[in-house]
């Protein structure tokens, strides 16, 4: 496997393409690597702001323990790992927790393009891939459909949000995405205090228009995940022939 290597756009409020390259070996895979069950869909796991790839690996063990997965670390370091500590540190996909306006379009396009290139470099073209992300990672997972919908089997966005796609070229597949009717599972907590409710509602509405959407919100859940949510996700994965449903 090539190193988790990305080219990440740093341009802000400009149409000029300015990129920098960051290379990292940091990713976590299912036991034995992500090529142990090559006839089954592979989960591509993307964490949220201030988290790491380790958190997404924990989620996979609860929802699809018999599918291969790879969890990638975001390119931006918020707090590096401390020497001697098992904590891997805190990372992000975007420059801000909740970018606004054009900045969000630029960051979403940069992150999704980088991840899509990693997939092209490391995953066989005939392998089904299911991006699964939380919060910022959920946005990146959905944005993969907005740049290359032909490549991805389905998408899971947990407490994610969306980007306007107003900057020309940052969501190049929007006009054809609905043609593919790609299954998307989008859920969030009714008590989410991080993503504004209008953002959550707008994301669900956009996905309803562009994908084959399954969505649900959960009473008492904040910007987090829950066992009830995982139970619904496991059923959805089974219904869409992505997992066997065995735990």
């Amino acid at each position: 496997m090539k190193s988790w290597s990305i080219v990440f756009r740093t341009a802000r409020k400009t149409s000029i393409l300015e990129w920098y390259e960051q290379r990292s070996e940091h990713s976590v895979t299912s036991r034995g690597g992500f090529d142990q069950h090559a006839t089954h869909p592979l989960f591509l796991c993307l964490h949220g702001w201030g988290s790491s790839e380790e958190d997404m690996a924990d989620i996979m063990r609860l929802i699809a323990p018999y599918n291969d997965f790879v969890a990638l670390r975001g390119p931006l370091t918020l707090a590096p790992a401390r020497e001697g500590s098992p904590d891997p540190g805190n990372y992000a996909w975007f420059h801000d927790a909740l970018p606004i306006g054009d900045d969000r379009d630029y960051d979403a396009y940069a992150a999704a393009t980088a991840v899509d290139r990693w997939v092209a470099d490391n995953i066989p073209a005939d392998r089904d891939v299911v991006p699964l992300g939380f919060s910022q990672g959920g946005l990146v997972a959905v944005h993969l459909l907005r740049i290359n919908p032909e490549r991805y089997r389905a998408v899971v966005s947990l407490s994610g949000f969306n980007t306007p796609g107003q900057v020309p070229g940052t969501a190049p597949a929007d006009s054809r995405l609905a043609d593919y009717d790609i299954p998307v599972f989008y859920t969030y907590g009714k008590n989410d205090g991080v993503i504004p409710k209008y953002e959550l509602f707008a994301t669900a509405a956009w996905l309803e228009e562009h994908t084959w959407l399954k969505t649900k919100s959960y009473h008492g859940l904040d910007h987090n995940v829950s066992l009830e949510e995982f139970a619904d996700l496991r059923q959805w994965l089974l219904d869409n022939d992505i997992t066997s449903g065995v735990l």
Side-chain angles (χ1 to χ4, degrees):
M1 180 183 71
K2 294 182 181 179
S3 65
W4 162 219
S5 178
I6 73 169
V7 178
F8 201 75
R9 183 171 184 170
T10 59
R12 287 298 191 89
K13 300 179 180 177
T14 176
S15 60
I16 300 174
L17 289 175
E18 298 174 357
W19 302 80
Y20 72 87
E21 186 175 77
Q22 173 174 317
R23 300 184 183 276
S24 172
E25 299 292 339
H26 298 294
S27 63
V28 172
T29 71
S30 43
R31 183 176 297 180
F34 57 75
D35 57 355
Q36 299 301 296
H37 306 283
T39 60
H40 296 72
L42 167 73
F43 286 88
L44 175 69
C45 302
L46 308 167
H47 64 76
W49 171 270
S51 184
S52 77
E53 67 281 7
E54 297 285 353
D55 290 335
M56 299 308 295
D58 290 340
I59 288 177
M60 286 305 304
R61 295 179 187 113
L62 292 172
I63 62 170
Y66 297 105
N67 281 69
D68 293 337
F69 73 83
V70 57
L72 303 180
R73 176 179 292 183
L76 303 177
T77 301
L78 304 180
R82 290 175 293 181
E83 187 174 354
S85 171
D87 187 337
N90 309 108
Y91 305 91
W93 295 98
F94 307 148
H95 294 83
D96 303 301
L98 197 66
I100 61 174
D102 290 357
D103 288 348
R104 188 184 299 184
D105 280 350
Y106 286 132
D107 276 0
Y109 177 73
T113 298
V115 172
D116 189 54
R117 290 179 180 176
W118 185 92
V119 170
D121 288 344
N122 291 279
I123 311 299
D126 60 351
R127 180 84 186 267
D128 283 348
V129 177
V130 178
L132 182 155
F134 175 78
S135 193
Q136 283 192 355
L139 188 154
V140 177
V142 168
H143 211 77
L144 287 167
L145 299 182
R146 302 180 71 175
I147 64 170
N148 189 9
E150 296 85 358
R151 182 64 187 92
Y152 300 98
R153 167 77 168 75
V155 162
V156 177
S157 176
L158 307 175
S159 299
F161 51 110
N162 203 10
T163 190
Q166 299 295 319
V167 176
T170 57
D174 276 3
S175 62
R176 68 180 191 274
L177 176 54
D179 296 339
Y180 294 95
D181 214 18
I182 297 172
V184 171
F185 183 87
Y186 175 58
T187 50
Y188 55 88
K190 289 183 179 292
N191 293 354
D192 194 319
V194 174
I195 311 298
K197 279 188 168 56
Y198 69 85
E199 293 259 17
L200 298 169
F201 297 160
T203 299
W206 190 93
L207 290 169
E208 183 70 50
E209 183 178 350
H210 291 85
T211 69
W212 182 21
L213 178 65
K214 172 69 172 181
T215 187
K216 185 176 179 181
S217 57
Y218 297 89
H219 289 286
L221 182 64
D222 55 12
H223 194 64
N224 209 329
V225 293
S226 73
L227 294 179
E228 180 185 0
E229 185 179 30
F230 288 164
D232 291 336
L233 175 53
R234 286 194 297 268
Q235 185 61 52
W236 179 84
L237 293 170
L238 180 61
D239 292 344
N240 285 277
D241 198 28
I242 296 170
T243 67
S244 66
V246 175
L247 289 179

